[in-house]
Amino acid sequence: MNVTIDYYDKNAAEYSADTVGVDFSATQKKFLEYLPPYAKILDFGCGSGRDTKYFLSKGFFVDAMDGSESLCRIARRYTGITVKHMFFDELVAKDKYDGIWACASILHLPWDELLVVLHKMADALKKDGVIYTSFKYGDFSGERNGRFFTDFTEKCLFEMLAEVPELVCREYWISMDVRSNRSEEKWMNSILSRKVAH
């Protein structure tokens, strides 16, 4: 992860400028439809703070965190809330969140670390809680343009769920990148929820 954190620390201003103004409302609204009013959301790898600010504007309560100190500073200024400097594997919450938003964030974890973190995310959800995730679409895993990526296909999604049986997939969909300079890139999106015990 260090190479990825270093990348974001060094390129935080450019990355934020490239992402903060992107209209991501279609996906944000889809996620919020699963949540009760005034829900508690964790923005898990908040980047510029774009999504945190949107959720706050809709009346939700948001905890925001990022592994890059530089992005935390930018997101604090943009959102006006405390943004915690924290790595994904440091999540220890239990039954705390109605929703966890992991937009283009946990895709930076290698497979084994990703599975560990997903267990922690499941633990952090309330019993009716949901997780949104997005990964670049494909089967590549490794360093690309200065950052580590684990890409996802439908096969990867269901292999992941087999390893994290406390989560189930509510829906998944493939989308195109909403940034005009990335319109050829495809993304694997999913909404996951805690499995209800019978």
Side-chain angles (χ1 to χ4, degrees):
M1 269 297 281
N2 287 345
V3 63
T4 302
I5 297 298
D6 288 346
Y7 174 91
Y8 284 115
D9 278 336
K10 291 172 183 170
N11 297 279
E14 182 183 353
Y15 174 78
S16 295
D18 188 42
T19 57
V20 73
V22 170
D23 181 3
F24 212 64
S25 57
T27 303
Q28 291 162 335
K29 288 172 184 173
K30 186 190 285 276
F31 171 68
L32 294 180
E33 285 171 1
Y34 281 92
L35 303 183
Y38 314 113
K40 181 83 170 178
I41 296 170
L42 173 62
D43 192 347
F44 201 44
C46 67
S48 65
R50 175 196 68 203
D51 303 317
T52 288
K53 188 160 187 171
Y54 179 87
F55 298 144
L56 290 168
S57 76
K58 301 299 180 185
F60 293 90
F61 297 94
V62 186
D63 286 345
M65 58 72 62
D66 203 276
S68 162
E69 288 194 53
S70 298
L71 284 174
C72 286
R73 285 194 294 271
I74 289 170
R76 283 185 201 115
R77 287 196 300 269
Y78 185 63
T79 64
I81 68 166
T82 299
V83 176
K84 188 173 183 180
H85 178 238
M86 187 179 101
F87 300 116
F88 296 126
D89 62 359
E90 294 177 312
L91 180 66
V92 292
K94 302 288 184 188
D95 303 311
K96 183 175 182 180
Y97 296 105
D98 299 288
I100 299 177
W101 177 263
C103 179
S105 59
I106 58 173
L107 83 180
H108 291 307
L109 294 170
W111 181 258
D112 289 347
E113 291 178 33
L114 175 64
L115 296 178
V116 170
V117 168
L118 281 159
H119 286 294
K120 290 174 175 281
M121 293 168 73
D123 286 345
L125 286 179
K126 295 179 183 178
K127 66 180 177 66
D128 297 319
V130 297
I131 296 169
Y132 167 73
T133 69
S134 60
F135 295 80
K136 289 180 183 288
Y137 188 81
D139 53 16
F140 174 82
S141 178
E143 195 175 323
R144 179 171 56 210
N145 301 325
R147 292 168 288 175
F148 186 93
F149 287 92
T150 295
D151 295 352
F152 254 55
T153 59
E154 295 88 342
K155 180 172 179 282
C156 294
L157 175 64
F158 289 102
E159 286 175 353
M160 177 196 82
L161 291 169
E163 297 287 341
V164 190
E166 62 267 42
L167 291 174
V168 293
C169 183
R170 301 286 288 274
E171 64 173 307
Y172 68 89
W173 66 99
I174 310 301
S175 62
M176 305 307 292
D177 201 299
V178 291
R179 292 169 290 180
S180 58
N181 61 335
R182 302 282 188 89
S183 58
E184 299 304 309
E185 285 191 17
K186 292 165 74 173
W187 288 80
M188 179 76 184
N189 307 265
S190 68
I191 301 281
L192 313 172
S193 67
R194 268 177 58 168
K195 188 174 289 185
V196 178
H198 294 291

